[in-house]
Amino acid sequence: MAAAVFCIAACDSDLDIQTAYPFHVETMPVPLRVTQGETVEIRCSLLAEGRTSDTQYTIRWFLYDGKGTLKYNKKALKANDRYPLLTSEFRLYYTSASSDSHSFIVVIEDNHGQSQQLEFKFNNEDEEKEAAEKGGQGIESRQ
């Protein structure tokens, strides 16, 4: 009888329900160069280890080198403003507005405090031509 009382007292009636699952975002390869006025498509897939109905994802971005715009769902995104991510498969469109190199980050966050940061770097073909004309080497960039 003492063992039964001990077992009943040791049981926890609260269930552990996982509400936050790790996730990551994968992208298809993107070009290394972009010229002024050119638009680059960035295909993305958000992959979560699990999903609950209350998990919501947002997207934001910050351009720290160059000039350009990033569109999601046909809407130009303002820097550092959060926008709801509506699907796990989505496309971003970056349009260059200068002849400089371009560098920006995209941050995907969930409402549980988890985030993933993606960094994109593009060179401009004009910069590579100028470097070659001056006897220099072309500029390489990596995603």
Side-chain angles (χ1 to χ4, degrees):
M1 182 138 177
V5 170
F6 175 75
C7 288
I8 291 173
C11 290
D12 186 1
S13 62
D14 292 333
L15 295 176
D16 288 335
I17 298 174
Q18 185 170 355
T19 57
Y21 292 94
F23 72 91
H24 67 279
V25 178
E26 293 181 354
T27 62
M28 295 293 292
V30 295
L32 296 175
R33 292 175 193 81
V34 61
T35 58
Q36 186 171 356
E38 182 180 4
T39 299
V40 175
E41 178 184 65
I42 305 168
R43 295 181 181 190
C44 304
S45 298
L46 187 149
L47 305 169
E49 291 181 12
R51 185 121 187 187
T52 61
S53 60
D54 71 330
T55 301
Q56 298 172 2
Y57 296 94
T58 59
I59 185 170
R60 61 186 173 96
W61 84 301
F62 179 73
L63 177 69
Y64 60 89
D65 188 22
K67 291 182 182 176
T69 58
L70 187 69
K71 289 186 178 181
Y72 165 67
N73 226 13
K74 299 181 181 181
K75 181 178 183 176
L77 304 180
K78 293 182 182 177
N80 276 333
D81 281 0
R82 283 189 172 86
Y83 298 88
L85 196 59
L86 305 174
T87 62
S88 60
E89 299 286 326
F90 58 97
R91 295 177 186 194
L92 303 172
Y93 296 92
Y94 177 74
T95 302
S96 165
S98 70
S99 60
D100 300 327
S101 61
H102 307 268
S103 302
F104 61 93
I105 58 171
V106 174
V107 181
I108 308 295
E109 300 168 301
D110 69 10
N111 57 324
H112 304 291
Q114 301 178 97
S115 67
Q116 182 180 354
Q117 181 174 303
L118 306 170
E119 183 173 11
F120 297 93
K121 294 183 179 188
F122 300 104
N123 282 331
N124 183 288
E125 289 181 1
D126 292 339
E127 286 181 349
E128 187 173 293
K129 288 178 187 175
E130 288 174 15
E133 289 172 3
K134 293 178 182 177
Q137 305 239 343
I139 301 169
E140 289 292 321
S141 68
R142 293 180 220 144
Q143 178 182 347

